[in-house]
Amino acid sequence: MLSAAAAVSGVVPESIQKAYAIEPEPGSTYLDADHIVILMQENRSFDHALGTLRGVRGFNDPRAIRLANGNSVFVQTDKSGATYPPWRLDIKDTRITWMGSLPHSRESQVDAWHEGLHDGWLEAKRSHNREYADVPMTMGHYTREDIPFYYALADAFTVCDQHYCSAMTSTTPNRCYFWTGTIRDRQSTDSKVYMRNEEIERGGMIWKTYPERLQEAGISWKLYQNELTNSGLENEEDAWLGNFGDNPLESFAAYNIEAYPGFVLEQRLQIAKLIDEAAKLKEEISHQKEAQAAANLDARLASTESRFAACQAALAKAREAPSRLTTEQRAVHDAAFVTNAGDPDYHALESLPFRDNGQTLNMNVPKGDIFYEFRKDVNEGKLPAVSWLIAPENFSDHPVSPWYGAWYVSEVMEILTKNPQTWKKTIFILTYDENDGYFDHAPSFVAADPKRPWTGHSSPGINGGLDYTYKEDELAQGVAEEEARTGPIGMGFRVPMIIASPWSRGGWVNSQLFDHTSTLMFLEHFLQTKFGKTVREENISAWRRAISGNLSSAFRPYDAKAPDLDFLGRDKFVVSIQKSRYKEIPSKYQKLNPEQIDDINRNLFHSRFTSHQEAGIRPACALPYELQADGALSADRSSFELAMTASNAVFGSDAAGAPFNVYLRNLKHEVAAGIAMRVATYAVKPGDTLREQFPLSLFADANYSIEVHGPNGFYRSFTGNAAGPNILVRTEYDRNGAQLTGNVKVHLHNIGDKALTGRIQDNSYKTGALTRTIQPGHEESGVLNLKKSHGWYDFTVRVEGSESAAHFAGRVETGRPSFSDPLMGGVV
């Protein structure tokens, strides 16, 4: 498999070869690991980075939602009516990686989501750079040719294609979820919600963090970075050598950032800047005659003076901090702020010459080793049980910087695999904090609004209100009117996650629903099992625990096959990115006309007007899902009753709960308003069933149209009216005794007084059709053999003489590994 990947990408980096070739100890499992190393990079959506990868839920998704206007979700339209599909960003032959970031603040994320309609991307994510404002950058994506290292890493290990960021907002709140499980100062719906970077970065956060819990439990941990935010570094030095403000522990009072040696210098620099800023504002005010402009300047001056006072107070506190820390406080401080101060060049850059178009040019790069302390601990056998890494801005993968980050990830792998005995005991988790402004086609699974019952609800015992926030609360916190939003806190949008370890080798895909709290839940599970220590993150809400997995399904007994598999050198790699700086603006996007839109809607897998995935399938992890969603008309035919189940009959205590997004189409009032669709979201804990009734009076002419989407391509659709047939359709996993066969059994129950003929018709996987005649009061069943489709099914049930239809699709889980969707892979 890796050899095939090398043929496509041209080379498999040496770091990946080495890691793949090192086998774990015979009989070991991931619970035998001694080290968990975690790297959270910046701002890339799943589709943007990996949407063309073979075997993941990307651009060929056969169960992608339809928008309210009936178009595929891959066909996005702006307010002017201009419509664009996904298109490739060429990282080498265009300047795309030098074109900066897209809007990804709270308001832009909520507006792209648009009450679940998922159709606001082009407007909400338009570049603030006027030169690029008409380029539909949000729909742009990369391919294996652009970022071969990441594709090779996914081909070697396990990629998680249902991993979402935790919050529908920017970097720092999502990083707070990653390290603390929340962005609330208390686990109460009347607590303060910190939805924006600056709200957290002001400092003084008081809720408990997971590293503190590790410290209390006696579990070794460290957070490695070259330097902190408060370091005195500026401009280019800061971009190459600082931590980009990506260590949220700097903002928590328990870590006493003011005790860090560089903090005093940073405050002095800030004070000097603020004095200069205040002087300039006073000069402008003295010459300003227009009242409103003067008032605006006065407000800016007041803000500057407030920040000046805060810096002075922080400076005074910093002078006392080192001497007042207790032994315990010092230990937490030191572990959170591990820097490379031991390397004499850790604050230095050096010039790197290179040739481009016959000219000798130069660029600056770090002179020291930005992995100095991490490398030292690994080489000396001192790597703690849990490690987090934070990259400098230029290596973080954030779109505000050129995409140099692949080298950073490669170097982590090089360090960990230098000694095979270390790698045999290590799990490396790579993920991203949020999606920036880049489109992802998979709608978020979010908490419903407790104040609006029609938006959905959760299983009993789950307070979904902890994961929802309101405009009024944001306004009370000082958020500007135009930026304040009502909406779910999360989940946000999909972001990449790749898990590399001896027990996740083989190019697998894991499609269980995860978010950033899943990594914390994995640490809980791992530490409990390995050390018998309960280190529970109490800040994770019941709603998240009900629907998010703990990553354990990503691991399996290792594959002993070691392929005969080359090296990602830093200087050569960064120069290749540097050379693209003066290329053309990417222009391979296409504004679609109605005929092209129709072609994509009818022909998603083969249309030449949109992007596609690499052909083929990949091995897929076993998932603890037994999901069902069945529905029928009520006895009085006044409503449609939907039952959504996350059963635990098959997997018992290991069974996973799940979210379901329900799309109501053909709604009477929404049609009149020109919307035609409404979205509700439900969270079902393991072993539970949620029931919902939808009155037919909601729908135009009482013609109901209801679609249900769940994780990993789970799909149901029900259409019809009050004149529908007297038949109940129910599905279940087929068994042979206690053994699951991997097939699906369909039951047709006739509740009427006339015989009915039902037809179960396969739509995609060539499993044929079954016809059953059902007498009044009787039930007939049929089994669809899914062996050739690896457990994937897609069929429609119709009754002769009726226009009603029930559509079922997904994958049967047996507890055994399978393969990704062959329909998505184009191999049916």
Side-chain angles (χ1 to χ4, degrees):
M1 180 274 301
L2 279 177
S3 297
V8 177
S9 64
V11 62
V12 176
E14 185 178 346
S15 60
I16 296 176
Q17 292 183 42
K18 286 169 58 180
Y20 196 92
I22 297 170
E23 296 183 5
E25 296 298 330
S28 68
T29 73
Y30 71 95
L31 294 171
D32 293 302
D34 288 336
H35 313 291
I36 300 173
V37 179
I38 306 167
L39 171 61
M40 174 175 272
Q41 293 285 75
E42 281 266 11
N43 291 42
R44 302 288 176 174
S45 82
F46 187 89
D47 277 346
H48 166 73
L50 298 174
T52 65
L53 181 68
R54 180 185 70 254
V56 300
R57 197 152 294 279
F59 294 128
N60 286 3
D61 185 355
R63 255 78 74 185
I65 68 162
R66 291 181 300 127
L67 300 178
N69 61 11
N71 288 339
S72 164
V73 68
F74 294 113
V75 178
Q76 293 281 323
T77 302
D78 67 17
K79 290 181 179 178
S80 73
T83 301
Y84 299 94
W87 58 287
R88 181 193 167 196
L89 302 170
D90 189 322
I91 201 170
K92 296 174 183 175
D93 290 334
T94 73
R95 72 168 88 158
I96 181 58
T97 195
W98 293 91
M99 289 169 61
S101 185
L102 295 175
H104 51 278
S105 57
R106 167 66 172 172
E107 61 272 15
S108 76
Q109 302 285 47
V110 172
D111 292 352
W113 172 72
H114 192 196
E115 292 285 354
L117 300 178
H118 209 71
D119 60 2
W121 288 87
L122 289 172
E123 289 297 332
K125 303 302 184 179
R126 194 179 299 277
S127 175
H128 293 313
N129 187 319
R130 292 182 180 179
E131 186 179 1
Y132 313 140
D134 293 330
V135 179
M137 287 170 60
T138 184
M139 303 303 291
H141 66 85
Y142 292 107
T143 69
R144 185 183 293 272
E145 295 174 74
D146 302 303
I147 49 173
F149 178 84
Y150 295 99
Y151 276 65
L153 193 66
D155 284 342
F157 295 103
T158 296
V159 57
C160 301
D161 71 350
Q162 295 280 270
H163 178 249
Y164 289 75
C165 67
S166 285
M168 200 175 289
T169 185
S170 48
T171 286
T172 310
N174 275 292
R175 287 178 176 263
C176 278
Y177 267 108
F178 199 57
W179 270 275
T180 79
T182 190
I183 52 173
R184 287 186 177 273
D185 55 9
R186 292 177 293 107
Q187 292 308 293
S188 171
T189 54
D190 63 352
S191 60
K192 188 174 181 179
V193 179
Y194 293 81
M195 285 299 305
R196 290 165 174 78
N197 293 356
E198 60 275 11
E199 295 168 358
I200 298 166
E201 290 165 1
R202 292 176 189 138
M205 301 297 102
I206 58 172
W207 66 88
K208 203 160 195 176
T209 66
Y210 199 72
E212 291 174 82
R213 302 184 196 277
L214 294 177
Q215 190 76 23
E216 292 170 356
I219 304 295
S220 61
W221 67 278
K222 285 185 179 181
L223 203 161
Y224 297 91
Q225 57 253 290
N226 186 67
E227 182 54 285
L228 304 191
T229 308
N230 296 287
S231 62
L233 292 170
E234 295 186 283
N235 303 320
E236 189 174 18
E237 287 81 5
D238 190 36
W240 282 112
L241 304 172
N243 72 0
F244 202 24
D246 276 349
N247 182 349
L249 303 186
E250 293 182 20
S251 298
F252 282 79
Y255 293 90
N256 293 283
I257 183 60
E258 63 273 7
Y260 183 69
F263 186 83
V264 171
L265 174 59
E266 177 68 17
Q267 295 307 305
R268 286 174 176 165
L269 289 171
Q270 291 300 319
I271 286 171
K273 289 179 181 178
L274 290 168
I275 289 173
D276 183 59
E277 183 179 315
K280 291 178 180 177
L281 286 168
K282 289 176 181 178
E283 178 69 17
E284 285 188 64
I285 290 170
S286 69
H287 293 91
Q288 183 56 250
K289 297 180 179 180
E290 202 274 317
Q292 184 58 51
N296 292 338
L297 289 170
D298 285 338
R300 289 173 57 190
L301 178 60
S303 175
T304 299
E305 291 175 337
S306 175
R307 286 182 287 145
F308 174 79
C311 284
Q312 283 189 313
L315 185 58
K317 188 178 179 181
R319 292 192 180 104
E320 303 174 2
S323 61
R324 67 174 171 78
L325 296 191
T326 65
T327 301
E328 292 78 11
Q329 288 172 328
R330 173 57 68 180
V332 168
H333 173 94
D334 290 346
F337 304 137
V338 178
T339 70
N340 295 324
D343 183 336
D345 294 318
Y346 87 117
H347 271 200
L349 299 179
E350 63 181 355
S351 179
L352 172 65
F354 62 94
R355 299 281 294 175
D356 187 24
N357 292 324
Q359 291 183 298
T360 298
L361 304 174
N362 288 275
M363 65 180 293
N364 286 325
V365 292
K367 184 176 182 180
D369 180 5
I370 62 172
F371 289 102
Y372 177 83
E373 282 294 332
F374 178 69
R375 193 189 306 273
K376 184 171 178 286
D377 280 356
V378 172
N379 292 344
E380 294 177 1
K382 297 179 180 179
L383 190 65
V386 182
S387 304
W388 287 275
L389 291 162
I390 294 179
E393 175 184 340
N394 280 354
F395 291 115
S396 72
D397 284 351
H398 195 295
V400 297
S401 300
W403 203 332
Y404 296 126
W407 171 81
Y408 190 92
V409 180
S410 175
E411 193 68 8
V412 174
M413 295 292 292
E414 285 289 326
I415 293 167
L416 292 174
T417 59
K418 181 179 180 180
N419 182 344
Q421 296 308 312
T422 299
W423 181 248
K424 286 183 179 183
K425 293 284 188 175
T426 300
I427 295 168
F428 174 47
I429 300 172
L430 169 67
T431 188
Y432 290 75
D433 52 25
E434 39 105 345
N435 63 295
D436 199 79
Y438 284 101
F439 170 79
D440 187 84
H441 83 275
S444 302
F445 294 107
V446 302
D449 181 357
K451 297 180 180 179
R452 295 182 293 165
W454 65 263
T455 65
H457 56 93
S458 303
S459 289
I462 296 175
N463 183 358
L466 286 171
D467 290 276
Y468 211 89
T469 188
Y470 298 94
K471 180 176 181 177
E472 295 76 16
D473 298 325
E474 296 201 333
L475 292 172
Q477 290 180 215
V479 176
E481 172 77 27
E482 65 272 15
E483 297 176 0
R485 295 289 187 276
T486 288
I489 294 174
M491 298 175 181
F493 303 112
R494 283 194 310 170
V495 292
M497 172 179 270
I498 298 174
I499 300 177
S501 77
W503 308 280
S504 55
R505 303 187 313 166
W508 289 61
V509 59
N510 183 290
S511 298
Q512 187 174 1
L513 183 71
F514 301 137
D515 81 318
H516 293 329
T517 66
S518 295
T519 300
L520 293 176
M521 287 189 272
F522 175 69
L523 292 175
E524 292 175 347
H525 161 72
F526 179 86
L527 298 172
Q528 179 70 54
T529 307
K530 187 173 182 66
F531 300 114
K533 293 189 175 183
T534 301
V535 192
R536 181 179 171 87
E537 183 44 78
E538 300 295 341
N539 294 325
I540 300 174
S541 69
W543 178 79
R544 292 179 191 273
R545 287 190 181 275
I547 63 175
S548 292
N550 68 2
L551 306 187
S552 60
S553 61
F555 301 94
R556 63 205 149 270
Y558 74 94
D559 179 357
K561 299 175 182 178
D564 181 20
L565 291 174
D566 160 61
F567 175 72
L568 202 56
R570 186 196 70 178
D571 291 357
K572 181 180 178 181
F573 180 76
V574 299
V575 164
S576 72
I577 299 296
Q578 185 75 15
K579 287 181 177 181
S580 69
R581 185 168 191 169
Y582 305 107
K583 300 285 187 178
E584 297 296 320
I585 295 173
S587 58
K588 293 183 179 179
Y589 55 89
Q590 181 176 10
K591 185 186 295 187
L592 299 174
N593 62 38
E595 291 75 22
Q596 293 165 336
I597 293 171
D598 183 62
D599 187 73
I600 294 173
N601 289 333
R602 292 185 296 101
N603 193 30
L604 178 65
F605 297 154
H606 304 291
S607 175
R608 62 189 178 90
F609 303 113
T610 190
S611 297
H612 299 291
Q613 290 176 245
E614 300 166 339
I617 59 177
R618 65 176 58 226
C621 298
L623 306 178
Y625 283 137
E626 187 180 359
L627 308 183
Q628 304 293 348
D630 298 315
L633 288 169
S634 61
D636 64 1
R637 295 182 171 266
S638 67
S639 63
F640 187 88
E641 298 179 344
L642 179 67
M644 294 160 284
T645 299
S647 176
N648 57 3
V650 173
F651 302 112
S653 61
D654 293 327
F660 297 92
N661 283 343
V662 176
Y663 298 81
L664 306 179
R665 298 181 182 276
N666 194 42
L667 294 171
K668 186 169 16 180
H669 297 298
E670 275 76 358
V671 167
I675 301 173
M677 187 169 79
R678 193 168 80 191
V679 187
T681 183
Y682 300 84
V684 186
K685 64 186 179 183
D688 196 19
T689 296
L690 284 185
R691 303 180 187 278
E692 190 71 280
Q693 286 194 340
F694 301 105
L696 297 193
S697 58
L698 286 174
F699 301 90
D701 300 322
N703 289 317
Y704 63 85
S705 177
I706 301 168
E707 292 179 301
V708 183
H709 286 262
N712 195 27
F714 179 91
Y715 176 77
R716 300 291 189 264
S717 171
F718 306 96
T719 56
N721 52 47
N726 289 304
I727 193 165
L728 301 179
V729 183
R730 181 173 58 87
T731 62
E732 66 172 327
Y733 291 6
D734 183 50
R735 294 173 179 265
N736 184 1
Q739 182 71 36
L740 292 169
T741 67
N743 299 324
V744 64
K745 178 177 285 189
V746 185
H747 302 278
L748 307 179
H749 183 69
N750 187 345
I751 59 173
D753 55 6
K754 296 180 181 179
L756 298 171
T757 299
R759 182 175 177 84
I760 305 167
Q761 177 67 55
D762 172 82
N763 300 314
S764 303
Y765 300 105
K766 301 178 181 178
T767 57
L770 299 174
T771 300
R772 296 288 186 271
T773 298
I774 314 104
Q775 297 301 322
H778 286 73
E779 180 175 283
E780 295 289 338
S781 301
V783 175
L784 297 181
N785 190 323
L786 308 178
K787 183 177 181 179
K788 291 182 180 180
S789 61
H790 309 296
W792 292 91
Y793 60 91
D794 180 3
F795 62 89
T796 299
V797 178
R798 288 186 170 87
V799 174
E800 285 187 6
S802 171
E803 295 182 358
S804 299
H807 186 173
F808 302 79
R811 188 179 86 180
V812 173
E813 297 296 340
T814 64
R816 301 182 295 273
S818 183
F819 289 89
S820 60
D821 192 339
L823 178 63
M824 192 164 60
V827 294
V828 175

